[in-house]
Amino acid sequence: MAEILGVNVDCVTMAQAIEKVELLIKQKKPSLVATANAEMLMIASHDLQLKNILNLAAMVVPDGAGTVWAAHYLGYDMPERVAGCDLVTNLLKKNYRAYFFGAAEGVAKKAAEKFPNVVGVRNGFFSKDDEPKIISDINSANADILLVGLGVPKQEKWIFDNLDKINVPVCIGVGGTFDVLAGNVKRAPEWMQRAKLEWLFRALLQPSRAGRLIALPKFVFKVHNSKKSK
């Protein structure tokens, strides 16, 4: 376990993360799994509610080169990046029943067309009054995994607030994964992923994200200061 800006992140490989999710499915107790990149860790550093939720999660995987770098810089043995999109894809290929909740109208539905084991779909636009119906639909689908793509920190807070009402063993916040699975957003070429440059590819592809990338040097600075203060 690596503590990064007050958040405990699991030092796991992709294979170990999949094994942990499969164990949680067998245990049948609703659990939260989070995918922590640098942006999420930065938000959690000043959002105490999110930080507490992450530290109560069943597993927090290192989703992002920044997270892996921070763990190494702080002296932890973090074996590899466990990208949330790849984790989800690997689990779906194992034919676990999944429910897709989130993203814009039609996106989750388009993503679900690639996987016959998706047992339910709901877009991410809803009011508080819609939640009982959404939860009822999720529960009636009898899924093994609930994927929630509402963005950070909304998705983690929604899962945590409703965990006692959701009869699904594993609930994972997946950010923009549905857009990737639907083909609306391209993944970086493998060589860029290996070179830890996926963030640059996304910035070039989506200039609107440039402002969010300013968080990366801030993250490096904050991690550096956290090490100095220990």
Side-chain angles (χ1 to χ4, degrees), residues 122 125-135 154 157-158 161-162 165:
R122 174 63 160 80
F125 295 94
F126 62 96
S127 67
K128 198 71 178 175
D129 292 339
D130 297 323
E131 291 192 8
K133 176 66 165 58
I134 293 171
I135 292 170
K154 184 177 180 180
K157 292 181 179 181
W158 190 89
D161 289 345
N162 293 288
K165 304 169 193 169

Side-chain angles (χ1 to χ4, degrees), residues 25 28-31 97 99 134-146 158-159 162-171:
I25 291 172
K28 295 187 180 298
K29 180 183 178 182
S31 303
R97 293 164 60 88
Y99 191 106
I134 293 171
I135 292 170
S136 176
D137 287 347
I138 291 170
N139 289 340
S140 63
N142 193 31
D144 300 304
I145 302 170
L146 170 63
W158 190 89
I159 293 170
N162 293 288
L163 205 56
D164 61 339
K165 304 169 193 169
I166 299 171
N167 297 325
V168 182
V170 177
C171 305

Side-chain angles (χ1 to χ4, degrees), residues 37-225:
N37 57 17
E39 184 180 3
M40 179 186 284
L41 293 171
M42 277 295 287
I43 294 171
S45 71
H46 56 76
D47 184 334
L48 185 59
Q49 183 185 9
L50 176 61
K51 182 186 291 186
N52 289 338
I53 288 171
L54 295 177
N55 286 333
L56 290 170
M59 179 169 61
V60 179
V61 301
D63 178 7
T67 306
V68 176
W69 167 83
H72 290 167
Y73 182 75
L74 294 171
Y76 298 103
D77 182 18
M78 184 73 73
E80 65 182 23
R81 175 193 178 198
V82 180
C85 187
D86 294 333
L87 174 63
V88 165
T89 302
N90 285 327
L91 290 167
L92 290 171
K93 286 179 179 177
K94 286 178 169 282
N95 292 321
Y96 289 112
R97 293 164 60 88
Y99 191 106
F100 287 9
F101 171 36
E105 180 68 45
V107 173
K109 184 177 180 181
K110 185 178 178 182
E113 291 172 356
K114 299 182 179 180
F115 303 97
N117 45 316
V118 176
V119 294
V121 171
R122 174 63 160 80
N123 67 61
F125 295 94
F126 62 96
S127 67
K128 198 71 178 175
D129 292 339
D130 297 323
E131 291 192 8
K133 176 66 165 58
I134 293 171
I135 292 170
S136 176
D137 287 347
I138 291 170
N139 289 340
S140 63
N142 193 31
D144 300 304
I145 302 170
L146 170 63
L147 304 180
V148 182
L150 302 176
V152 180
K154 184 177 180 180
Q155 60 197 19
E156 287 75 24
K157 292 181 179 181
W158 190 89
I159 293 170
F160 186 79
D161 289 345
N162 293 288
L163 205 56
D164 61 339
K165 304 169 193 169
I166 299 171
N167 297 325
V168 182
V170 177
C171 305
I172 309 176
V174 296
T177 293
F178 297 145
D179 280 295
V180 175
L181 296 179
N184 296 344
V185 175
K186 292 182 180 180
R187 289 289 300 277
E190 286 192 18
W191 71 266
M192 290 191 82
Q193 293 184 44
R194 289 194 298 270
K196 300 178 176 61
L197 292 174
E198 190 165 12
W199 61 272
L200 178 59
F201 179 84
R202 294 174 71 183
L204 293 172
L205 207 63
Q206 298 174 279
S208 61
R209 293 178 57 91
R212 296 170 66 180
L213 294 177
I214 296 173
L216 290 174
K218 289 182 178 178
F219 174 72
V220 171
F221 183 74
K222 196 152 194 169
V223 170
H224 175 69
N225 282 348

